[in-house]
Amino acid sequence: MDEKGKLLTIGQFAALHGINKKTLMWYDEIGLFKPATINPVNGYRCYNYHQSPVLETILLLRELDVSILEIQNFIKDRSAQNLKSLLDDKIAALDLQLMHLQAVRKTLSTHQQNISTLLNMDLSKICIVEKEKRCLVTVEIDKNTSFEEEVELITAETEKYHLGRLHHASYGSMIPVSSLLSGNFENYSKLFIEIPFLTYQAGLHMPPSGKYLRAFHQGDWDKIPHRYEEILLYAKKHNLTLYEFSYEMGINENMIDRIEDYIVQIEIPVKDFDS
């Protein structure tokens, strides 16, 4: 006798698939998955091993958040093509969820690093760090760009790249090194948004990878020019060539109430560094 043809009780069949027997009872009630037979004496539902692949398919689709209606339609017209279409849609949705979770994790890691800096680092110190290649969304500004216009520009870019929430990205301002070297410490020319896992496409700005001079400024923005003077002196003393842009980013905005406590991180690419 074929052992796989033997009937199993609802409890046995549920245990075989690691589910509660109430799930099988509900599937039966809504017509999604019927038992192989019902005992005419006691009315108990019975299943056989050959039904397992169908149930496992249903359980897989439920795990992928496929609706009961979608599964019912699929069960009524089961085929390899229909299953492939269902799985294609759900894999695409999972990929989007994974990208979102990776972006959230990167954002949390950035906040964690910023907090570690605040807790452990001497903010008066200037140092050299390594930066990986990245892509930035930028918008052009000048000294006549109002704060309201800046907000509109940033908002338009977040919508363009489907960012949704500003906390999903890092953002700041850029000033050309050529302006710093000429003593023009207020010639901000761009705002930037760094979106996690953004791949290069036309129109994006790509800062160079490699060594960066990193410094911090705490307090009112009016005193940032003095910090830049210290940075230029440091670069000259250590035979560093600054180039491209200076990238400024606030790192403690969500932890302070007073402008006196505001901390700006300044990073500038350097070359010809003599170790």
Side-chain angles (χ1 to χ4, degrees), residues 33 70 84 92 99 102 134 143 160 181 224 241 248:
F33 184 74
E70 287 178 290
K84 181 180 182 302
M99 287 180 61
Q102 288 175 327
R134 55 192 173 138
K143 62 181 180 180
K160 178 179 176 182
L181 295 176
I224 287 184
T241 300
E248 296 181 10

Side-chain angles (χ1 to χ4, degrees), residues 47 52 59 93 99 103 112 122 142 176 191-192 212 218 229 231 236 238 251:
Y47 300 81
S52 289
L59 296 176
M99 287 180 61
Q112 183 184 50
D122 178 1
D142 57 36
L191 301 176
F192 73 81
Y212 279 66
Q218 183 171 10
E229 289 174 349
I231 289 170
K236 183 176 180 180
H238 292 82
I251 64 172

Side-chain angles (χ1 to χ4, degrees), residues 10-21 23-24 52 55-56 59 63:
I10 189 171
Q12 291 171 326
F13 196 67
L16 178 64
H17 293 277
I19 60 175
N20 192 296
K21 65 180 183 180
T23 300
L24 289 173
S52 289
L55 179 59
E56 282 299 323
L59 296 176
E63 193 171 341

